[in-house]
């Protein structure tokens, strides 16, 4: 990318580079922010293939599939590279054209892809089969030497996960559980939620420790509030009792005085 930017004036190249750096930093956490920076870079240097590619990925991340496909096609025309072929096929899926995706999966460009690209193309093709309701075909599409291999590659976890998910969608829960477990074994960086899916199949429920702690704190407050109310009520009852007792004594004294006076008067 740096080499491509050397075709620009130095100051312009620096401005474009800064925007591309922000695209890379934000694309996972803030796709819309990354997209905004990509548009600035595109406005500054639309004739640079790396800029068109970055703009394509930013549009793809925000599900602007038509725009992403146009940028990827432009980048491919500039470089003649086939690396973007799988993501271009996935854009066709996003646009609701799975048949076009399958056509691309059978195109000669696929044979020019490296192993990672071919696996990616297989994943995209299987997704297109599922879009068309062809679950069994999706499962067969994912069955490959890469899936059967015991070695762990960067794509292994995603491939196993996709296979497990397809099996589960087809109602083959036992096999799905086995492959979700294999996906967990190969997913060292947590790129999938295979562990959660596996736990779900096993009937394991996770509770949020923070929420649980908040619930316990609320329960304790409720108990304290209840005890405080009870103490207050008891205190009020005690006061009322004392007042009543005092009133009773005063009434008794008054009644005693009247009786005594009456007796004395009789006497």
């Amino acid at each position: 990318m740096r080499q491509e930017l050397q075709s620009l004036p130095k100051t312009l190249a620096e401005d474009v580079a800064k925007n591309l750096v922000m695209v890379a930093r934000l694309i996972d956490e803030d796709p819309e922010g990354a997209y905004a920076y990509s548009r600035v870079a595109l406005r500054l240097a639309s004739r640079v293939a790396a800029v068109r590619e970055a703009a394509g990925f930013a549009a793809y991340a925000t599900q602007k599939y038509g725009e992403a496909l146009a940028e990827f096609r432009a980048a491919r025309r500039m470089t003649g590279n086939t690396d973007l072929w799988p993501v271009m096929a996935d854009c066709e899926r996003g646009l609701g054209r799975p048949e076009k995706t399958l056509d691309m999966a059978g195109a000669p460009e696929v044979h020019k892809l490296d192993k990672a690209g071919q696996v990616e193309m297989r994943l995209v093709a299987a997704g297109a089969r599922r879009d068309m309701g062809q679950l069994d075909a999706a499962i067969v599409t994912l069955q490959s030497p890469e899936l059967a291999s015991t070695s762990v590659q960067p794509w292994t976890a995603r491939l196993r996960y996709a296979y497990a998910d397809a099996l589960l969608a087809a109602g083959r829960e036992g096999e799905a559980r086995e492959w979700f477990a294999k996906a967990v074994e190969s997913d060292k960086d947590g790129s999938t939620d295979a562990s959660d899916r596996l736990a779900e199949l096993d009937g394991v429920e996770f509770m949020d420790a923070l929420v649980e702690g908040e619930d316990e704190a609320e329960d304790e407050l409720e108990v304290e509030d209840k005890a405080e109310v009870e103490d207050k009520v008891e205190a009020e009852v005690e006061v009322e009792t004392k007042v009543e007792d005092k009133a009773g004594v005063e009434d008794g004294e008054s009644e005693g005085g009247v009786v005594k006076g009456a007796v004395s008067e009789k006497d």
Side-chain angles (χ1 to χ4, degrees):
M1 188 176 292
R2 184 186 298 275
Q3 184 176 358
E4 289 187 35
L5 293 178
Q6 288 179 356
S7 63
L8 302 174
K10 184 177 180 180
T11 302
L12 179 59
E14 290 177 354
D15 289 342
V16 173
K18 290 176 182 178
N19 282 281
L20 293 179
V21 167
M22 292 308 299
V23 172
R25 286 182 177 178
L26 298 177
I27 196 164
D28 291 329
E29 302 298 330
D30 182 12
E32 291 293 343
Y35 176 76
Y37 279 106
S38 76
R39 300 308 295 176
V40 175
L42 191 61
R43 188 170 64 249
L44 294 174
S46 62
R47 296 181 180 275
V48 177
V51 172
R52 303 302 290 265
E53 183 175 332
F57 277 111
Y60 180 82
T62 54
Q63 300 183 1
K64 298 177 176 66
Y65 297 115
E67 187 176 322
L69 184 57
E71 297 301 338
F72 289 141
R73 284 174 175 169
R76 182 169 176 269
R77 283 195 302 270
M78 292 176 179
T79 63
N81 200 323
T82 59
D83 291 350
L84 295 172
W85 195 254
V87 71
M88 290 169 63
D90 204 35
C91 286
E92 295 287 359
R93 279 189 65 207
L95 292 169
R97 301 194 291 248
E99 297 87 355
K100 178 62 176 176
T101 299
L102 295 178
D103 289 342
M104 294 180 69
E109 284 80 358
V110 176
H111 300 294
K112 300 177 183 178
L113 297 171
D114 60 13
K115 182 63 66 176
Q118 290 178 3
V119 171
E120 192 67 33
M121 191 70 247
R122 193 176 291 275
L123 288 167
V124 173
R129 292 290 186 188
R130 292 190 62 173
D131 293 344
M132 299 168 68
Q134 301 173 1
L135 290 176
D136 290 338
I139 291 171
V140 172
T141 300
L142 293 169
Q143 292 172 346
S144 62
E146 293 80 19
L147 179 68
S149 176
T150 56
S151 66
V152 176
Q153 303 294 333
W155 61 77
T156 301
R158 292 179 58 240
L159 183 58
R160 291 176 176 180
Y161 181 93
Y163 188 60
D165 194 44
L167 289 169
L168 186 61
R172 296 159 63 175
E173 186 172 315
E175 295 174 81
R177 189 204 174 282
E178 176 187 349
W179 282 97
F180 275 128
K182 291 181 178 180
V184 171
E185 292 174 1
S186 56
D187 192 3
K188 304 303 182 183
D189 57 356
S191 60
T192 72
D193 63 346
S195 58
D196 293 339
R197 299 293 297 278
L198 182 61
E200 184 180 346
L201 286 174
D202 289 340
V204 178
E205 294 184 4
F206 295 99
M207 294 186 67
D208 192 318
L210 180 59
V211 173
E212 185 177 0
E214 291 175 352
D215 291 341
E216 291 177 356
E218 289 177 1
D219 292 341
E220 291 176 0
L221 286 174
E222 289 179 2
V223 171
E224 292 176 359
D225 291 343
K226 184 176 180 182
E228 185 178 347
V229 170
E230 290 177 351
D231 292 342
K232 186 175 181 180
V233 170
E234 289 178 2
E236 291 176 353
V237 170
E238 185 177 352
V239 170
E240 291 177 359
T241 303
K242 289 180 180 180
V243 171
E244 290 176 357
D245 291 344
K246 183 177 180 181
V249 170
E250 290 175 352
D251 290 345
E253 289 176 353
S254 299
E255 290 175 359
V258 171
V259 171
K260 183 178 180 181
V263 171
S264 299
E265 190 175 11
K266 183 177 180 181
D267 294 342

